[in-house]
Amino acid sequence: MSKVVIVDTNPYEGQKPGTSGLRKKVKVFLQENYTENFIQSILDANKEAIEGSTLVVGGDGRYLVKEVVEKIIKISAANGVAKLLVGQDGILSTPAVSCIIRKYKTLGGIVLTASHNPGGINNDFGIKFNCSNGGPAPDHMTNDIYKLTTEIKWYKIVPDLNCSIDKIGVQTFKVEDREFTVEIVDSVNDYVTYMKEIFDFPKIKELIQGTEQRKPFNVLIDSMNGVTGPYVRRIFLDELGASEKNVRRIVPLDDFGGAHPDPNLTYAADLVNTVKGGDYDFGAAFDGDGDRNMIIGRGAFFVTPSDSLAVLANNLDSIPYFKRTGVRGYARSMPTAAAVDRVAVANGKEMFEVPTGWKYFGNLMDAGRLSLCGEESFGTGSDHVREKDGLWAALAWLSVIAATGKSVEDILKAHWAQFGRNYFTRYDYEECASDPCNEMMTELEKTITEPGFVGSSHASGDKTYIVKVADNFSYMDPIDKSVAMKQGLRIIFEDGSRIVMRLSGTGSSGATVRLYIDSYEASNVLGDAQVMLKPLIDVALKISKLPSYTGRDAPTVIT
Ligand code: G6P
Ligand code: ZN
């Protein structure tokens, strides 16, 4: 029998969860009781429900995951949790956690990841709580967690409960007079079973393997040394008949092999160059925890996440899951280009615009009003789980390709011909000094909300834009009526073009400024986004005075 020990502790400042959980450098989490405090606060935020509950625990395999899983086991045991479902070796992708929470109807889950941020002892770690619907905790709950971290005086732990997490199976422990169970689960089984229900695997397999009439469709799937490796192995190699040359970096490494596991044109340049130089028809990459995706076609033809969402919205009938459930509404985050809005109009579907952060989609899905959603930040997903889902997005694209028989590029061109094109780009200025960035945002908000700004005109080159709407975006959730304020500054011009600026909520140090530009063209659809959007970018830099506040004359990442 193991005993519960109560350990005195003091609050740490700054344990406020950001867009997606608490993210800090590994060294911050290594401070005495730092991690314990946060775990205890997560459990306490669940109040009485924690007694006798089941929770899912897993992470993306980065440095510290295993140690923190062990702490969670000991602290959960002490706090009356009845059972934990833990991924083998602590490995579960973020969408897999969501899937398992929903499948086994648990109270929630704890996800150990800093998503797309680099890993290793000198880099980032993160802890996030997901609720019983499988989605990230909503604002009111993360606020509760934060408040608890500022008041914490002790945490409960069972120090001598030793549970190994490397073998699948059930282990039971006696903690004082209670029984406590840890089930180590296969990291991929439940998720893969679910994907096979959602998609037509034989059809995708036929695409990948080819037929007598059609040569194999040559894919290159890149896990960037993140958590999706074992999922890609099982799905693409074991189920879909792809070969080793169709996959890369599929062994999860605790520092992602030094890669920055963010699937975009900058950090997945390696994949882009390989696809460009090789005989590949399709490339996909996923981030550290497996919820983000990037899709490219032959010759590395890039699909913006905003276009990806719109194309999938218009082709959901290629996916068996949606034939069964029907298609409810679509949604995107505010900075995401409005391409999907045009599909919604054409298909007579409800359309939602929410703040940045996947958690804002959950209520709409739970209320049965939302089937498909996405974000410009390389997130795409549906109501099959309550997280975005990188592998799901790749399988969705392969379903559309199998159904239409078209290449990625031809699918996009046909889409633009039908709906027009929302040109989109995002400029990131990473790791800037925080104070000047905050000041820039405050000043910009003042400027754009001053009387006379609406109606003012802004010229660059031969283009002139007249301001129609300018505000700091706020959102009222249509289901629970909760309000999220100050979600990003936006300037909307009379021709529908938009400038959006916000500070990232996922960084672990300094400030990252994101500038998003979106402009619609009905017929001039084959231009280069950087050229087409240059005048608007110049206007944005001028109005915001970004170069002088940040001292930067160029972004660190352009998407
Ligand atoms: C995470 C969330 C996304 C969100 C993104 C925004 O990936 O899961 O839903 O879009 O962060 O990141 P940012 O750095 O722009 O706040
Ligand atoms: Zn992620």
Side-chain angles (χ1 to χ4, degrees), residues 216-329:
F217 187 78
N218 202 13
V219 303
L220 187 57
I221 309 293
D222 189 346
S223 292
M224 302 187 85
N225 302 319
V227 76
T228 56
Y231 299 81
V232 166
R233 172 169 289 286
R234 183 80 68 85
I235 291 175
F236 281 89
L237 301 186
D238 300 350
E239 297 283 346
L240 297 174
S243 73
E244 292 283 347
K245 72 170 187 14
N246 296 117
V247 298
R248 66 204 301 264
R249 300 196 278 184
I250 62 167
V251 176
L253 301 176
D254 71 359
D255 64 350
F256 306 113
H260 188 150
D262 199 1
N264 59 39
L265 293 173
T266 302
Y267 296 124
D270 211 36
L271 170 77
V272 171
N273 293 332
T274 311
V275 169
K276 205 179 256 165
D279 182 25
Y280 292 102
D281 300 300
F282 180 87
F286 314 113
D287 72 335
D289 65 326
D291 55 358
R292 294 186 170 194
N293 76 92
M294 178 176 75
I295 302 292
I296 54 181
R298 177 165 274 276
F301 181 91
F302 174 62
V303 184
T304 70
S306 308
D307 278 342
S308 176
L309 174 64
V311 166
L312 292 181
N314 200 36
N315 287 280
L316 288 181
D317 54 357
S318 315
I319 300 171
Y321 173 87
F322 296 104
K323 288 209 186 111
R324 289 198 300 273
T325 63
V327 178
R328 294 140 189 158

Side-chain angles (χ1 to χ4, degrees), residues 19-20 115-116 291-292 356-358 375 377 388 502 504-506 514 516:
T19 314
S20 209
S115 185
H116 50 284
D291 55 358
R292 294 186 170 194
T356 294
W358 205 261
E375 296 183 276
S377 54
K388 55 189 178 287
R502 57 181 280 281
S504 158
T506 58
R514 303 209 196 283
Y516 314 79

Side-chain angles (χ1 to χ4, degrees), residues 89-107:
D89 290 324
I91 294 277
L92 287 177
S93 75
T94 293
V97 171
S98 190
C99 164
I100 294 172
I101 292 173
R102 293 172 67 75
K103 181 166 178 176
Y104 298 103
K105 303 197 169 29
T106 73
L107 176 67

Side-chain angles (χ1 to χ4, degrees), residues 480-525:
D480 67 13
K481 310 287 180 222
S482 60
V483 176
M485 308 277 288
K486 295 192 178 294
Q487 297 297 316
L489 301 176
R490 51 176 195 171
I491 306 171
I492 306 175
F493 298 99
E494 282 188 344
D495 70 349
S497 302
R498 295 190 311 162
I499 293 171
V500 174
M501 200 182 267
R502 57 181 280 281
L503 297 182
S504 158
T506 58
S508 59
S509 56
T512 291
V513 184
R514 303 209 196 283
L515 170 63
Y516 314 79
I517 308 280
D518 170 9
S519 178
Y520 178 71
E521 294 281 338
S523 54
N524 183 7
V525 297

Side-chain angles (χ1 to χ4, degrees), residues 24-25 35 108 134 155 262 303 306 364 431 544:
K24 302 279 176 196
K25 295 284 174 209
T35 302
Y155 64 85
D262 199 1
V303 184
S306 308
L364 295 166
E431 300 208 16
S544 64

